[in-house]
Amino acid sequence: MIAEPDILIVGGGLGGVAAALGACRAGRRVVMTEETDWIGGQLTAQAVPPDEHPWVEQFGTTATYRALREGIRAYYRQWYPLRAEALGLAELNPGAGRVSKLCHEPRVALAVLEGMLAPYRAAGLLTVLTEHRAVAVETDGDMIRAVTVRDLRSGGRTTFTARYVVDATETGELLDLAGVEHANGAEARDEFGEPHAPAEARPDNQQGITVCFALSHHEGEDHTVERPEDYDFWRSYRPGFWPGPLLGFEAPDPRTLESVPRTFVPNPDLDPLAVSADQSADAGDKELWGFRRILARGLHRPGAFGSDITLVNWPLNDYWLKPYIGQEAEALHEARQLSLSVLYWLQTEAPRADGGTGFPGLRIRPDVTGTADGLAKAAYVRESRRIKAVTTVVEQDVAIDVVGPHGRTRYRDSVGVGGYRIDLHPSTGGDTYIDVGSVPFEIPLGALVPRRVRNLLPAGKNIGTTHITNGCYRLHPVEWNVGEVAGALAAHCLDEGVEPHQVQAEDKRFEEFGRLLDRAGVQRRWPDVRGY
């Protein structure tokens, strides 16, 4: 029998885990549900190495996110056969990938996240229900009274009547189930005056999803998969804004939209210690093997690993033909077919630097993703339903072209910081990349407070951003920061007998909550750093 929690967290991704830490740290009893069998969301079940700002090693995250990063490094130092030069690196990048200063395998992050939660589970404060999904919400006016979740294995249902509910789902599912006012897709330009917004609202215009997978390469072996059922379609598919077929090494540069060739050379000889990961200087996506590499054999003792492992989250397997929200099953099936088609094309038809075609030695890695077929457990979802919030973050708050490279929108109620370009991948409305410079930004508490509902808090990509600003607020450290604050806020409201709207609106109450966040190591202001 599960004890009734003070706080129910629906969704066990990065935001959900951070929310659980924030609430349990305050001594509150928490139940956290998760649809897959892995907690960690985009870092684990979706298999996406962290996308982070250039200053992440010095500042710009919460203390618990820093602990997660250092825990991942410690795991490699403890258990992997690192060569001496790598073992001694304070800023070890296990995969030597170019997308992040900390590219790593999903299972390592999973182990560290489980470790971070373990004391609270042992203390009886935290119950984690994996393979559970919310199916119904009971409301009473502006309050959520009950949430029913279904066990995806047994079909059994459990109803919780927690005093606070945190929506940490990947798509903001509870917003829909509970009738919470929210936005979906692209807002019209006249709603907020955003320069890159379309003239008319397009709820079905959502960023594409990606079904990631991991690869190693073994020269002289043949690991070719069966020809996917939709291969002929994807092999011939050519988007109108693409320089050639989608299955090819020629693709737009997201920042300039110019056609740029990508290179693909498995297991290059370059010493991984020479790799630099700084997206403010170089997006790192032109050399595909090293872009999201998650294990670099050259960091380890000779012979320990026969191949690197790279994570395929590339322009080739972004899927945008159908919106995921609203057509989840159909979009997911087609996205999976696209990723399998990319794999088959790489194995059989991709051009090689030696003039040949195909890399049959490419081996998909089910052991890395924890699945039977090697595809990630869940799709990488970039865009969620978003609450109609007390504060909506708009393009003019963060775009370099509007505020200048040293500009900054300061919020009275800042509860965190983040930094990333406004990075929108091609969308289901036919838009190409929108990738423009932004400045390091703050996270206003008002973006976590729904305009009407009083006991639901968002803990991920479902905060009060727009289709445009979601492009920079959607990344790993920001989702973690939002989740940690949501969990802490729910606990604080229970302790003080107040509601989130009061904490956000009343200076004295917010200052008290802000001091709590400061003590927890939540950075709420940036030093003087330049946007990119």
Side-chain angles (χ1 to χ4, degrees):
M1 185 71 177
I2 301 171
E4 191 65 43
D6 300 315
I7 300 166
L8 173 66
I9 301 170
V10 180
L14 283 178
V17 171
L21 290 171
C24 291
R25 183 171 60 210
R28 288 294 170 176
R29 185 179 293 112
V30 174
V31 168
M32 181 176 73
T33 68
E34 162 55 29
E35 190 172 339
T36 72
D37 60 349
W38 280 8
I39 62 171
Q42 57 181 317
L43 201 60
T44 59
Q46 298 172 30
V48 182
D51 283 298
E52 301 168 326
H53 56 72
W55 311 278
V56 67
E57 301 295 349
Q58 290 77 43
F59 46 75
T61 72
T62 75
T64 55
Y65 186 78
R66 195 167 302 284
L68 166 63
R69 299 178 86 256
E70 290 311 308
I72 290 168
R73 285 178 168 140
Y75 190 100
Y76 279 95
R77 295 187 186 108
Q78 175 81 26
W79 300 112
Y80 278 64
L82 291 163
R83 67 190 235 221
E85 301 94 322
L87 187 63
L89 282 178
E91 298 181 2
L92 173 67
N93 187 349
R98 298 180 186 276
V99 73
S100 169
K101 299 177 187 296
L102 187 67
C103 288
H104 54 82
E105 299 155 87
R107 284 186 183 275
V108 174
L110 176 65
V112 176
L113 290 168
E114 291 281 9
M116 294 175 79
L117 294 180
Y120 301 110
R121 298 174 86 163
L125 290 175
L126 175 63
T127 299
V128 179
L129 302 177
T130 56
E131 296 182 89
H132 281 70
R133 183 172 188 172
V135 292
V137 176
E138 179 186 335
T139 62
D140 180 8
D142 297 338
M143 298 289 288
I144 292 177
R145 295 302 184 193
V147 177
T148 299
V149 299
R150 182 168 65 89
D151 185 328
L152 300 179
R153 292 161 295 188
S154 70
R157 298 189 176 211
T158 306
T159 298
F160 296 100
T161 56
R163 293 168 66 187
Y164 276 88
V165 177
V166 174
D167 183 352
T169 62
E170 298 298 324
T171 59
E173 287 181 19
L174 287 192
L175 306 183
D176 188 45
L177 289 172
V180 179
E181 292 79 3
H182 63 274
N184 195 25
E187 294 88 351
R189 187 177 304 131
D190 61 7
E191 184 170 0
F192 297 110
E194 295 181 301
H196 284 89
E200 297 181 358
R202 291 286 307 277
D204 62 341
N205 190 16
Q206 304 161 16
Q207 281 198 71
I209 63 172
T210 305
V211 175
C212 302
F213 58 96
L215 289 177
S216 54
H217 184 258
H218 310 272
E219 192 65 47
E221 300 179 12
D222 188 346
H223 296 282
T224 305
V225 298
E226 291 185 15
R227 184 185 179 97
E229 61 186 55
D230 291 350
Y231 183 69
D232 289 341
F233 171 82
W234 289 114
R235 185 175 181 273
S236 62
Y237 176 61
R238 178 171 179 166
F241 49 83
W242 220 256
L246 183 63
L247 301 192
F249 290 145
E250 193 88 10
D253 181 304
R255 301 183 184 183
T256 68
L257 301 183
E258 296 177 356
S259 177
V260 176
R262 270 59 171 182
T263 61
F264 182 72
V265 179
N267 293 321
D269 292 330
L270 175 68
D271 185 345
L273 291 179
V275 171
S276 172
D278 181 354
Q279 291 207 30
S280 66
D282 178 6
D285 62 340
K286 306 305 183 289
E287 191 266 296
L288 292 176
W289 183 266
F291 181 33
R292 297 183 186 272
R293 182 170 50 182
I294 55 177
L295 185 142
R297 72 198 190 288
L299 289 181
H300 301 275
R301 292 196 291 269
F305 299 98
S307 172
D308 298 342
I309 302 174
T310 194
L311 196 284
V312 180
N313 175 11
W314 302 341
L316 283 70
N317 64 323
D318 276 2
Y319 170 85
W320 58 74
L321 295 191
K322 289 185 174 72
Y324 186 65
I325 296 173
Q327 300 182 53
E328 185 175 304
E330 299 95 325
L332 180 60
H333 173 77
E334 292 182 9
R336 289 171 59 85
Q337 278 292 304
L338 169 57
S339 287
L340 290 172
S341 295
V342 169
L343 170 61
Y344 186 76
W345 178 82
L346 288 168
Q347 292 174 325
T348 61
E349 296 191 67
R352 301 172 60 110
D354 61 10
T357 56
F359 298 84
L362 289 173
R363 176 185 164 206
I364 194 168
R365 297 294 298 268
D367 53 322
V368 172
T369 56
T371 58
D373 59 9
L375 299 179
K377 291 176 180 287
Y380 176 30
V381 179
R382 297 179 174 87
E383 185 172 343
S384 171
R385 300 175 179 90
R386 304 176 298 278
I387 63 166
K388 294 287 188 178
V390 169
T391 303
T392 302
V393 179
V394 299
E395 183 179 354
Q396 300 92 310
D397 294 330
V398 294
I400 283 180
D401 290 347
V402 178
V403 302
H406 290 283
R408 193 70 43 80
T409 299
R410 293 191 174 274
Y411 297 99
R412 173 193 65 83
D413 61 341
S414 175
V415 291
V417 296
Y420 207 74
R421 289 174 65 87
I422 297 175
D423 174 15
L424 277 73
H425 285 231
S427 63
T428 54
D431 295 338
T432 186
Y433 294 96
I434 298 174
D435 190 326
V436 297
S438 69
V439 296
F441 52 80
E442 296 174 356
I443 305 168
L445 181 59
L448 277 70
V449 178
R451 294 177 188 171
R452 178 182 61 84
V453 178
R454 292 154 51 200
N455 68 333
L456 178 140
L457 294 168
K461 296 180 283 290
N462 51 352
I463 63 171
T465 59
T466 65
H467 173 71
I468 301 296
T469 56
N470 164 264
C472 59
Y473 274 73
R474 65 179 173 82
L475 288 311
H476 301 64
V478 177
E479 180 178 342
W480 181 278
N481 190 324
V482 168
E484 185 172 351
V485 170
L489 178 60
H492 178 73
C493 288
L494 289 170
D495 291 344
E496 300 299 320
V498 296
E499 294 183 351
H501 292 81
Q502 295 172 277
V503 177
Q504 191 277 331
E506 299 173 23
D507 288 347
K508 186 174 180 180
R509 293 192 187 280
F510 177 73
E511 288 168 6
E512 182 181 355
F513 181 60
R515 286 192 293 270
L516 184 153
L517 295 180
D518 294 340
R519 290 194 296 272
V522 176
Q523 181 181 334
R524 300 191 292 130
R525 304 289 182 195
W526 278 102
D528 184 19
V529 290
R530 177 187 176 95
Y532 68 98

